[in-house]
């Protein structure tokens, strides 16, 4: 297949590009910079200049492809609502280019806020009162209602691996700044985890299946206790590991306190069965307990 990939030079997207090419597919990668173009060329992908804000570039890329994988998102949390709205417009543009065909669209989502406090399965839907403005699931549902073969890959809160610049490095940065590695309460709230290389295969397998049977869960570990993450960070930085009360969490973690307090466990049993997916990379704690995470 010839696959159009947005976010093709990003943390997840670059792994998806490599996995697709290694499996014999052709990749048309979206980039807005010359640096990104060079990275895509080095990976063996074709280059498509454009951006999430340039909806015509998205439509043009999708029109040239047998399927689309959307991994791009602007993670500037100071403009989260604005970025969520922009993502919705981007998904709509991609879907419009595929409407009336059997070409699949795979969109990135997450499990973090699907059903806090209980096991999330692929059958769960996003709650109407979810406390964040980003809603790729809603955009996909609207496209599916128009006959577009669209679905989501729901990512774990931690998509880890050496070179990670997501949630765990944010925690490491906060611990360095504060001089303690903290957890909230008893620290037994859970974060599902997946290695980026394992996550990339979920996208490819979902695409090869024609997006049928989704959403899919890129979840290798159902839920890692947050305290275990804090303990590895404390040991590696040689700083105390401490509990913070819910009232203290805002001061310690700042804007990240909502994510630090997430308690979610997620199953990928249906994804594994449908796609024949089996995670092969190290788990979150084993991966985190490595010097590479602390020399970035």
């Amino acid at each position: 297949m010839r696959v159009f990939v947005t976010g093709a030079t990003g943390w997840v997207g670059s792994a998806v590009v490599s996995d697709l090419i290694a499996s014999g597919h052709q990749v048309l990668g979206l980039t807005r910079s010359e640096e990104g173009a060079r990275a895509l060329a080095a990976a063996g992908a074709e280059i498509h200049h454009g951006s999430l804000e340039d909806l015509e570039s998205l439509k043009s890329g999708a029109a040239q492809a047998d399927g689309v994988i959307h991994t791009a998102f602007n993670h500037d949390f100071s403009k989260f609502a604005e970025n969520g709205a922009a993502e919705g417009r981007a998904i709509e543009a991609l879907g419009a280019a595929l409407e009336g065909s059997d070409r699949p669209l795979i969109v990135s989502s997450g499990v973090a806020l699907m059903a806090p406090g209980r096991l999330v399965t692929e059958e769960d839907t996003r709650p109407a009162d979810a406390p964040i403005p980003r809603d790729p699931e809603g955009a996909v549902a609207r496209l599916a209602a128009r006959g577009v073969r669209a679905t989501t890959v729901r990512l774990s809160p931690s998509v880890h691996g050496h070179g990670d610049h997501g949630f765990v490095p944010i925690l490491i940065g906060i611990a360095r700044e504060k001089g303690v590695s903290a957890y909230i309460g008893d620290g037994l709230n859970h974060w599902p985890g997946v290695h980026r290389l394992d996550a990339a295969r979920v996208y490819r397998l979902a695409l090869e299946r024609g997006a049928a049977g989704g959403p899919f869960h890129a979840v290798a570990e159902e839920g890692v206790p947050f305290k275990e993450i804090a303990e590895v960070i404390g040991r590696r930085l040689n700083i105390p590991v401490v509990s913070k009360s819910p009232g203290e969490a805002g001061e310690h973690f700042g804007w990240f306190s909502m994510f630090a307090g997430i308690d979610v466990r997620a199953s990928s049993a249906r994804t594994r069965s449908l796609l024949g997916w089996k995670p092969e990379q190290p788990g979150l704690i084993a991966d985190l307990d490595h010097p590479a995470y602390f020399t970035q």
Side-chain angles (χ1 to χ4, degrees):
M1 297 173 68
R2 190 167 191 245
V3 187
F4 180 46
V5 180
T6 73
T9 60
W11 175 241
V12 174
S14 60
V16 170
V17 168
S18 295
D19 188 79
L20 287 168
I21 291 173
S23 299
H25 299 288
Q26 296 175 299
V27 171
L28 179 65
L30 180 72
T31 182
R32 65 193 309 163
S33 70
E34 289 306 315
E35 181 182 1
R38 288 191 293 271
L40 286 171
E46 298 177 62
I47 298 156
H48 184 77
H49 290 281
S51 69
L52 288 187
E53 296 76 25
D54 182 353
L55 300 184
E56 291 306 314
S57 74
L58 298 180
K59 292 177 182 178
S60 170
Q64 299 176 54
D66 301 311
V68 177
I69 294 177
H70 175 60
T71 70
F73 185 73
N74 183 343
H75 286 92
D76 180 352
F77 288 98
S78 69
K79 300 189 295 183
F80 203 26
E82 179 182 335
N83 294 337
E87 179 185 48
R89 292 190 292 271
I91 294 169
E92 165 61 30
L94 294 168
L98 301 175
E99 192 168 358
S101 75
D102 289 331
R103 293 174 293 155
L105 169 63
I106 314 295
V107 170
S108 301
S109 183
V111 301
L113 298 172
M114 295 297 296
R118 67 169 176 82
L119 186 70
V120 181
T121 71
E122 291 89 342
E123 285 77 19
D124 280 304
T125 57
R126 172 188 161 102
D129 59 351
I132 61 172
R134 184 184 182 189
D135 185 19
E137 306 253 345
V140 165
R142 289 188 290 275
L143 291 174
R146 286 160 36 195
V148 179
R149 299 190 68 175
T151 193
T152 56
V153 168
R154 293 172 178 164
L155 294 166
S156 301
S158 177
V159 182
H160 56 86
H162 299 168
D164 182 0
H165 49 269
F167 280 4
V168 169
I170 290 171
L171 284 174
I172 293 171
I174 293 171
R176 279 196 172 108
E177 177 189 350
K178 301 290 187 176
V180 298
S181 180
Y183 54 89
I184 301 172
D186 60 11
L188 298 184
N189 58 302
H190 296 85
W191 273 16
V194 66
H195 194 282
R196 67 189 286 259
L197 301 183
D198 287 324
R201 283 191 294 114
V202 177
Y203 284 90
R204 173 175 58 81
L205 293 169
L207 184 86
E208 291 172 346
R209 188 181 167 84
F216 301 99
H217 281 190
V219 175
E221 295 174 283
E222 287 190 354
V224 179
F226 191 90
K227 184 177 180 181
E228 294 184 16
I229 300 170
E231 286 172 342
V232 174
I233 294 172
R235 176 162 46 79
R236 281 287 179 178
L237 295 180
N238 194 29
I239 58 177
V241 179
V242 301
S243 171
K244 295 290 184 180
S245 71
E248 297 171 320
E251 181 180 353
H252 180 83
F253 292 105
W255 66 269
F256 195 71
S257 59
M258 181 181 76
F259 298 104
I262 287 171
D263 181 23
V264 61
R265 294 176 300 113
S267 168
S268 58
R270 187 167 182 269
T271 297
R272 295 177 194 231
S273 176
L274 286 174
L275 301 183
W277 177 66
K278 182 179 180 181
E280 300 172 350
Q281 300 298 320
L284 174 57
I285 295 301
D287 201 31
L288 173 59
D289 196 8
H290 188 282
Y293 257 98
F294 299 91
T295 56
Q296 297 183 57

